[in-house]
Amino acid sequence: MTPSVTEIPLGPGLTAGALRPPGDTISTSTSDTSHILSASGVELSYGSTPAVRDAHLALARGEVAAITGASGSGKSSLLYCLAGVLPPSRGRISFEGQAYADLDDEEISALRRERFGFVFQYGELLPELTIEENTALPLRLAGQRKRPALTAAAEVLDRLGIADLRERRPSQVSGGQNQRVAVARALVHKPAVVFADEPTGALDSANAGAVLKEFLDLARSQGTAVLLVTHDATVAARADSRYTMADGVLAPIGAAG
C-alpha cells in the first residue's frame, strides 16, 4: 500500500510532518539582504569530537557554492547544520535574516519542506511511488492538490528529458535516471536553496557530468541557490564560489574560473 504523505521520509534526518494548509507558510525576516543563507562561528561536535570548527559562510540568492574535502572532513555535517537538520553546538545560522535559533521545531520543519530542496548521493526515492509521484512529493507536502502537483512534476521531468519515465518506479530506471528524478523532486517547488550531498557521487563520469549540468542549469534558471558538498574537483569547478574543508575547518578558495 502506498504510504500517506504524512509518513513519507525525505532523506536522512528528514521526515515530513502533517500537511500544512495551502498558503500557510512560515514567517521570515523581511529585511532586504543579498545573502539568503548565512552562517557565523558555526561549530558542531559529536560528544567530545569536533566535526565543524568556527565555520563562516554566506550564500547569495541564486548562487551555486561548493564545499570540497575528503571523507570525514566535516563537510556533510556542516551541510546538515545549514539545512536545519542538525542543530549546531555553537554559532548562528540565518535564512533570509531569520536565525534558526529563533524558530521552533515546527517552523524549522516547514522551512525544510517549503523553502529548501535536497539531493542525496543515492537519490533516496520512495520505491512504492512512481517517478511522477516521487517528483511531486514536495508540492503534496506543502498542501497542493494531487492533480496540479502531478502536472508540475511532469513539467519539470520534461525539462530534464525524462517525462517518458513518469509512470515507472525507481527500480525500473537506471541510476542516472533516478538521480535526475531526485533533482526534479528537489526543484519542483522552486525552493530558495537546494542542499546537495555528493549529488553525483554514485554515478559514472558520463552520467555525473550530464546530471550535474542539468541540475545546475535548472536551478539557475529558477533563481535557486545551491550549496553542494563533493569530493570531486570537477563538480566543484561548476560552482560560482568554492570552499575547502579539512579537519572541520572551512576555508574559501576563491571563485570558480
Side-chain angles (χ1 to χ4, degrees), residues 73-93:
S73 62
K75 59 188 188 297
S76 290
S77 292
L78 176 59
L79 184 83
Y80 289 120
C81 284
L82 296 171
V85 176
L86 293 176
S89 306
R90 184 175 300 174
R92 176 186 172 93
I93 303 172

Side-chain angles (χ1 to χ4, degrees), residues 233-257:
T234 303
V235 171
R238 297 292 306 275
D240 303 312
S241 57
R242 290 177 287 171
Y243 298 80
T244 186
M245 201 160 187
D247 297 324
V249 178
L250 182 74
I253 55 176

Side-chain angles (χ1 to χ4, degrees), residues 3-8 10 15-25 106 109-110 113-114 136-146 149:
S4 71
V5 290
T6 58
E7 300 168 340
I8 291 170
L10 298 182
T15 303
L19 284 174
R20 298 170 66 84
D24 181 14
T25 59
E106 183 179 350
S109 294
R113 281 198 307 271
E114 299 167 12
L137 274 180
L139 296 171
R140 297 288 290 133
L141 293 170
Q144 189 166 127
R145 298 176 72 87
K146 183 175 181 179

Side-chain angles (χ1 to χ4, degrees), residues 11 70 77 79 83-84 110 114 122 154 165 193 196 201 204 222 231-232 252-254:
S77 292
L79 184 83
E114 299 167 12
Y122 296 103
L165 304 179
V193 184
D204 60 55
Q222 294 185 171
H231 66 277
D232 189 336
I253 55 176

